Amino acid sequence: LILTSKYLHDVNHSNKNWAQYYSHAMAGNYFSSTDITKMEVQTLFLLGWDLTLPEEELYFKLEPLSAPIRQQF
């Protein structure tokens, strides 16, 4: 969610703010901003630092969700 938000928006919340939001949402159980930064870098590493998604791949990934809707129409 954080990476998606940062990718799509020019202005984004800091990891410190994300940590505060998470803490409120989870009633005190939280990740520190350092934890969030580490997870963010690990995720980027696993993705090869490539956040692009070709249109064909998007359609392929969404097929299980869109097929039942198409069948209704």
Side-chain angles (χ1 to χ4, degrees):
L1 180 63
I2 294 169
L3 284 174
T4 302
S5 179
K6 287 183 177 183
Y7 184 80
L8 295 175
H9 299 46
D10 289 335
V11 178
N12 195 6
H13 302 289
S14 69
N15 285 353
K16 180 179 176 182
N17 289 57
W18 282 107
Q20 290 172 342
Y21 298 148
Y22 184 78
S23 176
H24 291 300
M26 300 304 292
N29 299 320
Y30 66 95
F31 292 114
S32 70
S33 59
T34 302
D35 294 333
I36 290 173
T37 301
K38 286 179 184 178
M39 289 185 283
E40 187 175 27
V41 171
Q42 290 170 348
T43 302
L44 286 167
F45 178 78
L46 291 171
L47 294 172
W49 294 83
D50 183 9
L51 299 179
T52 59
L53 180 65
E55 188 175 347
E56 298 81 24
E57 188 175 348
L58 177 64
Y59 290 133
F60 177 75
K61 297 287 186 183
L62 292 177
E63 177 59 24
L65 298 172
S66 61
I69 296 169
R70 267 198 319 280
Q71 289 176 358
Q72 288 180 353
F73 295 102

